Amino acid sequence: MRGKIKKITLTNFITYEYLELDPGAYMNLVIGPNGSGKSSILCGMCLGLAGKPSSIGRVTRLSDYIKTGCNRATIEIELDNGKSTSIITRIINKGASDTSGGTTVWSLNGKTANQKEVEKFVRDLNIQMDNLCQFLSQERVQDFTKMNSKDLLINTEKTVGNTEMYENHQKLIELCKSGGGQEKALNDLEEGLIRQRARLDQLQVRMQSMQERLALVKQLDEIKAKIPWVEYNEHVESMQGAKNDKEQARKRLEEMEKELKPLEKSLQQLTERLKLLRAEAKKKTAGPVGGMKKFIEEEDKQYREIQKNVAELRDIDKQKEKFKNDLALLEQKIISNKERLQEIESTTDLDAIKQELQDLNQQAREVVKDIESIRQKESGKRRLLNDFIQEIRNFEYEIKEQSNLAERRLAELSGLHRLSYNATVYLNNDLRKNHQFAGKVYSSIVLEINTTDPRASRYLNIVISRRDKIAFLCEKSEDFNFLFMHLKQKFGNGLNMLTQGPEVLDLNQPIGMEALRKMGFDDYLSNLIACPTEIYNYLCKTYRLHQIPVAFKDGQVNRQDASQTFNQFFIGDTMYRISTSKYTNEKSSRTIPITNKKNPFDITIDLNAVAQLKAMKDKKVEERDALQREMQEMNAEVDPLQRKQDALRNKMKELRNRESQMNELQSQIRRNESSLETKKQNQGDFDKQKEKILIANQRLFRDAVVKLDDFKKHLKKCYSYDVESGFANMEVRAVSKKHLNRQNELDEKKRTHKDFLRTYQNVVEAWNRLKSEAARLKAVAEKTIGCTPKDPKFKKMQEIFAKLPATLLELDDMKTDLESRLEFMDSAADENIAELLERQKTKVSEMERQLAFIREQVTGRKTQMDRLKETWLPALEELADRISVKFERLFNYMGCEGTVKLLKGNAETQDDYENYGLSIQVSFRAGESLQELGGTQSGGERSVSTAIYLLALQELTEVPFRCLDEINQGMDATNERRIMELMMKMSGNEDSCQYFLVSPKLLANLVYVNTCRVLCVQQPLRMDTTKWTMAKFILKKQMEVGEKRSRTNGRAQDNDETEDDN
């Protein structure tokens, strides 16, 4: 078989200066007294085949394997490689300092190689020096029996199963671990997302508060912007009356101008006719007649002037009458408004209204102040409430994290001992609720111990036995009896029960702490744990924790000095045990390497911290509830204030309407009185004009009287003139009179037109003033919003204004309300809140994206695990069944019972591949139930079980050789003989692997197979090899046996002779 050892050569290795060993191809019994160097051969095999010092269980530094006084050691191993042989050489050199581990030089078939190349070569030959099922050194025999079910399964997979089985198992474990990490990351991310969403809610509340204030400010700005436009619009509406008056006056003026044109045309026609008539009369009139004509013309001229003045007088009288009517109308209007105003004033005191409005406004401000004060307090309390809620969530999360530690410790117990796990769950969930214990009762001790320094957990794990880790402990004996019987009835045998009181023990330490630290140690192991007093007392009594010092780093303690003071101590990664011979009183030390493998004590739970967190959480819950009640009371206070505010607003609106009505009447009265005063001032103009005309008529009449006398005299002279001249003049006078009447009518129309033109001009001036005021108001309004009605954004402003009140009164009320609310709102808004909110939204979105990504990974991992499980689990179950069948058969040959079961991890944990294991269960006595291999069996029974398990693997394995170092230690004579017979029988097969069985003795009368080779190891330090040879030794022994037989035969003959004499 490839991989079997053909030759071993050791040079300057441990005690050997030079050793050359030629083993057989099957069973090799390596025998010799204790201390002769048997185990050193196995050490050389392990190190020479790229094994690690930790697999040996002795010292961990390579330089410690070099013979004392030498600088290097050489190991050479020749292996069967099928058609040829291969030689692996390892040279171990000492390091530059005592603390150095040394260096190694490798060669493979005479060529220099590195360790990875050698490891690959050895692995290809299916040699596994770290597998206890193939290489079981003396120091690790007990480690095999202490192997938990998980380690046993892994080592069995490596030894018996194919490479794919072990690799698939490791992949499943890694996927589970990564899955645990992913699940934890998923849970952490979900918890973190809850906190970040709560933070987002807080920021949104703050953002909402800021947006509410900004909305109020914006609304106030919109109201302030609309007020000028409302004033402008109301002014424009008030201009409509003036515009109508102006339009009516313009139309009247145009009508009057139309009426003047026909008159002017008619007058023009009469003027032309009169001119013709006068020309004809002039021809008929000559001499005195011509002078008469001139006289008549002058008379006509005066007559026309008189007629004109009379017409003007009549017009003045008409205007004066109209003026009087207008004055009367204004006076009547003023009187009516005054009566109406007086009627309102009689029932209303304007000053009282103003004072009442001022009081109501002050009350409204106070109400708003109270409301905003309550809202401000409520807002502050709401923020405080959100902070409380967040703190409570944080406490719950931390408590959950600590509780998860307790669950992890409990899950670790499930892998350590399933029966104890079930009993612990039953005790905590059922018994404690239904039974009142007299004293303290602790479930599995491993759940109650916490290390104060995490580095001490691995020391504690190696000191406390597995059986005590899973033990239950009671303070009172009555509780012990009750629990023992109850759990035994429910779960059967297999549980360990202890009892220990809380009394104060006298724990004497070898040396004080000051002296301990001077030696380089950090502390005693007892000072590095925290647990209940009863458990502490038991551990100190049983394991002497108070006498085991600990140094966490290598090189800080002198081992020789420590060996003189302590029987057990820890330095770095090594445990040292000092034993004293009962015969020679000499001290010998044993070193046990400590690995950094995961152990139950790595998981620490701070119970005080959990209790403190729960107390802090309860306090915060009480504060939160009190705060919520305060906020409810505040909301109850706001309701009546809001009703009072609405009532005040309605009353203020009513008073302002009355005040506005009075102000409007007073304004109309002032305008009417102003117009009346102006008209009265213009009244004197009519009298002056009339007086002026009358004076002019008096003068004309006087001139007419004088001329009349002259006319009488001239008439007498002209009487004799031709009568035709008289008729002509008469016609001229008639036309002239008609012309004069038409002229008077036209003049009157022109005067009316002129007067109305002045009125129209006054109306236009008033209109222009109103228009200027409108332009000013419009400019103010446009400046307020920063645009004109022609701009596109004005339409948007109109949409905004449409949502606001329409009247100045309502706008003013709303403006006062908003200013009051803003006065009591926090003006110091966080300008960065929008940026913080956006960042928080981005953070939450990123966490949600990560959450989706991790969930996708978890789904992919589970799919991959299902595929691997379909390949790995059926093959493993088949392998476990085959091993169990062979194990049971071999145990039956021993007259005992035994089986091997496949443990499928924690039933409550899905896919618990890390805790899959093989359980060896044995029974050495009739009627005894099967017990799991561990602390309940004696050392010999454990050795027998180990040997049979290794033999059960024989037919299933493909390893080239196995090494067993003193596996028969502690066995009774019967079991030892049966085991040796089995091993001889199975190793004699042609397809058997090579065995190296180390034992201090050969069994007498044992049938050794022909293929067995016995390798004797002597003690070179105790014998003079120059005076001793094997041939002399055998001859001497043969002579001693012959002499002994001769003496026995001689005594027998003497007895026969004596009997004959008798």
Side-chain angles (χ1 to χ4, degrees), residues 577-631:
R577 285 181 178 170
I578 311 302
S579 59
T580 304
S581 174
K582 295 180 181 180
Y583 306 103
T584 63
N585 222 16
E586 293 180 357
K587 289 188 176 182
S588 60
S589 65
R590 181 186 177 193
T591 58
I592 301 175
I594 303 171
T595 62
N596 289 322
K597 286 185 179 179
K598 190 175 169 186
N599 68 80
F601 299 110
D602 287 337
I603 305 170
T604 58
I605 305 167
D606 193 342
L607 300 176
N608 293 330
V610 172
Q612 187 176 3
L613 286 171
K614 288 182 178 179
M616 293 169 69
K617 176 199 164 188
D618 293 340
K619 183 179 179 182
K620 286 295 177 185
V621 169
E622 292 177 1
E623 293 177 356
R624 180 200 64 188
D625 295 341
L627 196 60
Q628 288 177 337
R629 289 193 294 272
E630 290 180 12
M631 292 175 66

Side-chain angles (χ1 to χ4, degrees), residues 448-632:
E448 305 293 337
I449 302 175
N450 287 305
T451 55
T452 58
D453 191 321
R455 296 175 294 178
S457 63
R458 54 180 183 161
Y459 302 149
L460 192 65
N461 183 58
I462 198 171
V463 169
I464 301 177
S465 70
R466 179 175 176 274
R467 184 170 176 79
D468 280 347
K469 289 176 190 173
I470 62 176
F472 289 69
L473 189 142
C474 300
E475 178 187 0
K476 303 292 185 179
S477 58
E478 54 266 36
D479 291 336
F480 175 87
N481 295 329
F482 169 81
L483 191 63
F484 178 79
M485 295 302 298
H486 203 89
L487 294 181
K488 184 175 181 181
Q489 290 175 1
K490 187 169 184 64
F491 298 102
N493 296 323
L495 294 175
N496 189 18
M497 300 287 297
L498 305 171
T499 180
Q500 176 65 52
E503 65 275 5
V504 178
L505 302 179
D506 185 13
L507 303 177
N508 294 323
Q509 296 172 337
I511 59 175
M513 288 302 300
E514 184 177 356
L516 184 74
R517 291 199 170 97
K518 283 183 179 180
M519 291 184 69
F521 288 104
D522 293 297
D523 211 332
Y524 286 106
L525 189 56
S526 60
N527 297 335
L528 298 174
I529 63 171
C531 60
T533 304
E534 294 78 9
I535 295 176
Y536 184 84
N537 288 347
Y538 175 77
L539 294 178
C540 288
K541 285 173 62 177
T542 306
Y543 298 101
R544 304 289 181 184
L545 299 186
H546 58 290
Q547 295 180 358
I548 302 176
V550 171
F552 293 117
K553 295 181 181 179
D554 287 324
Q556 66 183 47
V557 176
N558 188 311
R559 288 177 292 174
Q560 297 299 328
D561 294 343
S563 300
Q564 301 301 319
T565 308
F566 303 104
N567 293 328
Q568 187 176 355
F569 53 89
F570 291 91
I571 300 176
D573 297 333
T574 307
M575 180 178 77
Y576 295 88
R577 285 181 178 170
I578 311 302
S579 59
T580 304
S581 174
K582 295 180 181 180
Y583 306 103
T584 63
N585 222 16
E586 293 180 357
K587 289 188 176 182
S588 60
S589 65
R590 181 186 177 193
T591 58
I592 301 175
I594 303 171
T595 62
N596 289 322
K597 286 185 179 179
K598 190 175 169 186
N599 68 80
F601 299 110
D602 287 337
I603 305 170
T604 58
I605 305 167
D606 193 342
L607 300 176
N608 293 330
V610 172
Q612 187 176 3
L613 286 171
K614 288 182 178 179
M616 293 169 69
K617 176 199 164 188
D618 293 340
K619 183 179 179 182
K620 286 295 177 185
V621 169
E622 292 177 1
E623 293 177 356
R624 180 200 64 188
D625 295 341
L627 196 60
Q628 288 177 337
R629 289 193 294 272
E630 290 180 12
M631 292 175 66
Q632 291 174 355

